[in-house]
């Protein structure tokens, strides 16, 4: 059994698209590698931020459903996304975030790593983690980033979820995904893929008293995990079916293939293939500069464009 890899991408729900773009490009310094639409609700953007090439494992994506009310953290939802930065980077990032008016908590240590928790402008809980393993992850710095290459975010480090009971989720991760229980820190249990030495962890906390989480602005929509190709994806999907879960058939997202299901604790998971990647329909030097639609939505372009708010890119210089 080939294990599932670490995090492929994390998708969250944001407020207005321009505010989201200004923060993740203008302040966090990520590259907008694909400007597209939610394929199930094409009147809404789907914005993909990543390293310069959009490597799987570096992608943080958003549905700007700005009219949706704020979400509620709770059981069955991811409650925080941790992003990897190089060792020694937190001083730079703390000063940069404060300069732009972003409140942070005090730096703290989790699982032996220093991290800086904060929230984005729409309430999504984030943390920057000084990860010793960043040298092992595929990463291409974005040379046009407002953040110097030495301090740029290297990709996804961990996602944190709340569940009411541990064992059903743990069984899926160990038996269905091939993950390992790698560490514990207080009430948190960390799981990792042996396929991903650079991170992509899942941290699980049991909260039996927690109310059910609710999607909304400022919450994570789903966590996507890496599979190499369609054959690997189908093998994992078969294991999920045998375990009594209900994964979708594979769905062509054009830049990758996706299978969705809810893990036993209620969190929406995705299995996403590593390829074909974002350069399949766009010049790598000009990723994210214009609206890209998958071929089956191209005939509806004029209608879709009429529904989307304009986006200024690159964003104007953000005044500190």
């Amino acid at each position: 059994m080939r294990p599932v890899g670490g995090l492929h991408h994390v998708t969250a729900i944001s407020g207005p698209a321009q505010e989201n773009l200004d923060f993740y490009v203008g302040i966090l310094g990520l590259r907008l590698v694909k400007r597209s639409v939610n394929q199930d609700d094409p009147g809404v953007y789907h914005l993909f931020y990543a390293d310069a090439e959009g490597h799987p494992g570096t992608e943080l994506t958003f549905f700007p459903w700005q009219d949706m009310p704020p979400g509620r953290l709770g059981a069955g939802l991811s409650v925080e996304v941790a992003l990897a930065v190089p060792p020694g980077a937190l001083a730079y990032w703390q000063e940069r975030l404060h300069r732009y008016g972003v409140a942070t908590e005090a730096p703290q240590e989790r699982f032996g790593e220093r991290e800086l928790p904060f929230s984005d402008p729409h309430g999504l809980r984030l943390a920057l983690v000084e990860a010793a393993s960043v040298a092992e992850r595929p990463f291409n710095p974005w040379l046009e980033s407002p953040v110097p290459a030495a301090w740029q975010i290297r990709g996804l480090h961990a996602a944190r979820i709340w569940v009411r009971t541990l064992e059903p989720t743990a069984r899926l991760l160990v038996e269905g995904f091939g993950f390992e229980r790698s560490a514990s820190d207080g009430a948190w249990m960390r799981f990792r893929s042996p396929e991903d030495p650079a991170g992509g962890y899942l941290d699980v906390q049991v909260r039996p008293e927690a109310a059910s989480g609710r999607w909304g602005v400022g919450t994570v929509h789903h966590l996507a995990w890496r599979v190499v190709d369609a054959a690997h994806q189908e093998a994992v999907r078969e294991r999920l079916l045998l375990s009594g879960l209900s994964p979708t058939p594979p769905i062509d997202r054009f830049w990758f293939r996706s299978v969705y299901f809810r893990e036993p604790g209620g969190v929406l998971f995705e299995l996403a293939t590593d390829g074909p990647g974002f350069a399949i329909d766009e010049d790598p030097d000009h990723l994210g500069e214009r609206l890209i639609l998958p071929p089956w939505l191209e005939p509806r372009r004029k209608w879709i464009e009429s529904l989307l708010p304009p986006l200024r890119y690159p964003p104007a210089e953000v005044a500190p």
Side-chain angles (χ1 to χ4, degrees):
M1 179 184 82
R2 180 167 190 170
V4 172
L7 287 164
H8 182 285
H9 65 270
V10 173
T11 295
I13 301 168
S14 80
Q18 188 65 56
E19 295 176 10
N20 179 262
L21 176 64
D22 288 346
F23 183 77
Y24 284 93
V25 176
I27 295 178
L28 293 193
L30 299 172
R31 186 182 187 188
L32 179 66
V33 294
K34 191 64 64 178
R35 182 193 313 201
S36 192
V37 295
N38 182 319
Q39 294 179 20
D40 303 309
D41 184 8
V44 173
Y45 281 115
H46 192 178
L47 304 178
F48 295 75
Y49 305 101
D51 72 346
E53 292 189 18
H55 280 114
T58 70
E59 302 165 25
L60 187 57
T61 92
F62 290 88
F63 301 140
W65 276 314
Q66 64 182 50
D67 296 326
M68 186 179 285
R72 180 181 66 202
L73 299 184
L77 208 65
S78 179
V79 297
E80 184 186 88
V81 181
L83 306 172
V85 295
L90 287 195
Y92 168 87
W93 277 104
Q94 189 167 28
E95 188 280 329
R96 179 174 179 82
L97 292 171
H98 289 177
R99 183 173 7 124
Y100 288 101
V102 180
T104 67
E105 298 178 26
Q108 54 191 261
E109 186 170 300
R110 297 181 190 164
F111 293 99
E113 299 169 319
R114 293 184 69 242
E115 66 174 56
L116 182 67
F118 63 101
S119 295
D120 82 358
H122 301 138
L124 180 67
R125 293 173 60 173
L126 301 168
L128 297 175
V129 181
E130 290 185 342
S133 61
V134 292
E136 301 178 53
R137 68 165 61 238
F139 171 77
N140 284 74
W142 182 35
L143 300 183
E144 296 178 39
S145 173
V147 174
W151 305 124
Q152 285 179 23
I153 292 168
R154 298 300 202 262
L156 300 166
H157 185 67
R160 312 195 106 187
I161 68 173
W162 289 348
V163 296
R164 292 199 179 96
T165 57
L166 176 63
E167 284 313 310
T169 295
R171 190 176 307 113
L172 164 74
L173 295 172
V174 174
E175 297 177 8
F177 277 20
F179 281 14
E180 303 166 347
R181 300 189 194 214
S182 66
S184 60
D185 186 345
W188 290 97
M189 171 68 70
R190 170 161 285 185
F191 295 81
R192 66 175 292 273
S193 168
E195 294 279 289
D196 190 350
Y201 303 112
L202 184 66
D203 297 341
V204 182
Q205 187 178 86
V206 178
R207 298 286 293 267
E209 80 294 345
S212 296
R214 182 186 65 225
W215 278 338
V217 170
T219 62
V220 171
H221 186 269
H222 64 268
L223 305 177
W225 303 95
R226 295 179 64 179
V227 287
V228 175
D229 52 25
H232 186 198
Q233 184 182 67
E234 186 57 29
V236 178
R237 182 174 178 273
E238 288 295 325
R239 292 203 299 270
L240 298 177
L241 287 168
L242 290 172
S243 71
L245 296 174
S246 301
T248 66
I251 299 171
D252 185 1
R253 297 303 191 192
F254 198 61
W255 310 292
F256 44 84
R257 285 164 49 96
S258 301
V259 166
Y260 300 89
F261 66 99
R262 289 195 181 274
E263 57 83 30
V267 183
L268 183 60
F269 278 6
E270 174 184 352
L271 304 172
T273 58
D274 278 352
F278 294 121
I280 190 174
D281 57 359
E282 206 168 6
D283 182 340
D285 291 335
H286 297 282
L287 296 176
E289 295 178 9
R290 61 190 181 93
L291 180 69
I292 299 293
L293 301 176
W296 52 90
L297 288 179
E298 194 60 47
R300 303 167 67 188
R301 174 175 284 273
K302 286 187 177 180
W303 173 75
I304 290 170
E305 289 180 336
S306 74
L307 299 175
L308 298 172
L311 273 185
R312 183 183 65 252
Y313 185 80
E317 183 69 23
V318 182

